[in-house]
Amino acid sequence: GLPAEEIKRLCEVHVEIFKEALEEQDRPEPLLGHPVHTFMKENRASEKIMSEISMLMGQLGNPPTPEAFGKHRQTLDDLIDQLSKIDIHYTRKENQLFPMLEAHHFTGPSQVMWSIHDDIRAHLKQARDAFAENDPAHTVTSLKEAIQAVRDMIYKEEHILFPTSLDMLTDSEWVKVKEGEADIGFAWVAPGEGWPEEILEDIGETAPEPEQIVQDVAGALGLDTGRMTLEQINLVLTHLPVDLTFVDENDRVAYYSEGPARIFPRSPGIIGREVRNCHPPKSVHIVNKILDAFKSGSRNSAAFWIELGGKFIYIRYFPVLDADGYYRGTLEVSQDLTEIRKLEGERRLLDEIG
């Protein structure tokens, strides 16, 4: 029942109390290519960037002068961009490591660290905004706050999170952590070669398939990134804020989503119908042109937008290709952008529920 800010404060106190004991522990030394090895490799890269920023800020004066700020502006801009790539490091933790720990009911890192990640992201955004507004004082202040928070996070990772994770997770689970890393990317460095090839034979298995880590549900279908029942798939498709129509490789309508507020009317009678017969004669040549381009591979999308009944409608077409690159059909996506076009500024998730 404690507020997130209080939890973070207590965690800082906890680290300080046990800092002497933590210092006595050796930092983990994972094998080359192991996810923790890559995380620590990124930490060393971030420390180098932060040292360069700190040295540059020393040259700006105290307080920083506009003249020095202007002289070093380009270098500082580059370094802020470089440090901002720490977001990739944190995103990988949040999406690859934390789910595995949560499966062991070890939820502290995701509850507290993620909040601190967001604080660091906010400090870096404030630094970028102040830099863009040519405000040396606030740029330096925000960068100092970001650097201190990043250094503190590195300490928590390498003295608490990573050692605990290495003790808790099995080789199979680490293989799964690594499996999805490339989809998110890496900050500044590339992972080393080696692990996990040499251990797969020892553990007697390959990386677990995505459905193996999702709770089994009766009738669930194994998808590329999870498992859903047919009912769940249908519910998701009918709740998307867009209209979908799928035409198969034989140019026949195979599916359309039936949402609560369709833009263009559809009825079951079009299922199985030749798509060219679903359009007025004057536009059939356009349909043929799009389908021919998708089948030949000369186009990977087509888009149109119209005003209809006071609404701004965006219509896009995409070729659907299988794993071998063969054409399997065309997907039509229609969306009402009327309200979206009016958006300005920002509204964060917390603003919405606050």
Side-chain angles (χ1 to χ4, degrees):
L2 287 173
E5 290 300 318
E6 181 65 7
I7 293 173
K8 283 193 292 183
R9 186 189 70 80
L10 292 174
C11 284
E12 296 296 336
V13 173
H14 184 264
V15 170
E16 287 301 318
I17 291 173
F18 291 98
K19 200 162 192 176
E20 184 175 341
L22 291 171
E23 292 287 359
E24 295 176 358
Q25 299 180 17
D26 293 332
R27 291 189 182 189
E29 296 183 4
L31 295 172
L32 187 68
H34 190 283
V36 172
H37 183 278
T38 307
F39 278 128
M40 294 180 68
K41 193 175 177 183
E42 287 177 331
N43 283 346
R44 303 293 80 78
S46 71
E47 287 170 340
K48 183 176 183 296
I49 295 167
M50 289 187 291
S51 294
E52 291 178 15
I53 293 175
S54 295
M55 287 189 291
L56 184 58
M57 288 193 296
Q59 299 176 43
L60 298 180
N62 188 19
T65 66
E67 295 77 18
F69 189 76
K71 178 181 177 181
H72 298 287
R73 184 177 180 84
Q74 186 57 56
T75 303
L76 185 58
D77 188 19
D78 293 342
L79 288 171
I80 293 173
D81 284 344
Q82 283 294 309
L83 185 57
S84 295
K85 291 179 182 178
I86 194 77
D87 177 63
I88 302 172
H89 176 94
Y90 295 148
T91 300
R92 237 176 39 256
K93 277 173 61 182
E94 294 159 356
N95 290 277
Q96 291 302 116
L97 179 55
F98 287 175
M100 289 296 176
L101 296 175
E102 290 163 3
H104 288 266
H105 307 290
F106 186 51
T107 58
S110 56
Q111 292 178 349
V112 178
M113 282 190 169
W114 200 322
S115 179
I116 300 173
H117 294 169
D118 285 344
D119 290 344
I120 293 168
R121 290 169 173 133
H123 292 320
L124 288 169
K125 182 181 184 302
Q126 290 163 3
R128 288 194 299 271
D129 291 345
F131 180 87
E133 294 169 4
N134 207 33
D135 185 339
H138 283 100
T139 300
V140 168
T141 298
S142 296
L143 279 175
K144 286 181 177 178
E145 291 173 339
I147 288 172
Q148 184 59 54
V150 171
R151 291 191 184 280
D152 289 346
M153 179 57 71
I154 290 173
Y155 187 91
K156 295 183 181 76
E157 286 179 351
E158 299 191 0
H159 288 84
I160 302 172
L161 177 66
F162 296 157
T164 304
S165 300
L166 288 167
D167 286 341
M168 185 173 292
L169 302 184
T170 65
D171 282 338
S172 298
E173 289 169 318
W174 280 116
V175 170
K176 184 59 194 171
V177 172
K178 185 177 178 70
E179 189 180 60
E181 288 187 320
D183 292 335
I184 298 170
F186 305 93
W188 315 293
V189 304
E193 297 292 334
W195 195 94
E197 285 75 12
E198 66 269 23
I199 62 99
L200 288 178
E201 189 172 324
D202 293 338
I203 64 177
E205 57 185 76
T206 58
E209 293 300 318
E211 57 265 27
Q212 289 179 252
I213 64 168
V214 181
Q215 183 178 1
D216 285 335
V217 178
L221 305 174
L223 306 175
D224 284 352
T225 52
R227 293 173 65 88
M228 296 172 70
T229 65
L230 188 59
E231 179 188 21
Q232 289 170 332
I233 293 171
N234 194 54
L235 286 170
V236 168
L237 290 171
T238 56
H239 282 76
L240 291 174
V242 295
D243 288 355
L244 302 179
T245 302
F246 176 64
V247 177
D248 66 20
E249 62 263 46
N250 298 313
D251 300 338
R252 295 188 176 277
V253 179
Y255 170 82
Y256 66 89
S257 60
E258 190 59 85
R262 278 202 63 92
I263 299 168
F264 300 109
R266 296 280 190 269
S267 69
I270 70 166
I271 301 299
R273 191 180 186 190
E274 220 277 349
V275 68
R276 293 170 184 82
N277 296 331
C278 299
H279 295 268
K282 65 180 180 180
S283 62
V284 168
H285 72 288
I286 299 296
V287 174
N288 287 331
K289 189 175 181 180
I290 293 172
L291 292 176
D292 290 344
F294 285 172
K295 292 174 182 178
S296 69
S298 61
R299 295 191 67 149
N300 58 16
S301 67
F304 306 90
W305 46 95
I306 60 174
E307 298 277 355
L308 182 67
K311 297 180 179 180
F312 185 84
I313 308 301
Y314 190 35
I315 309 157
R316 290 175 291 171
Y317 298 89
F318 304 94
V320 176
L321 311 180
D322 64 19
D324 297 318
Y326 291 109
Y327 175 82
R328 300 300 299 272
T330 290
L331 180 66
E332 178 192 76
V333 182
S334 302
Q335 186 173 11
D336 180 0
L337 297 187
T338 309
E339 296 303 316
I340 295 175
R341 295 177 82 202
K342 298 176 184 178
L343 297 178
E344 295 181 351
E346 294 183 346
R347 182 167 76 176
R348 302 280 181 166
L349 178 63
L350 291 178
D351 297 333
E352 169 68 14
I353 65 173

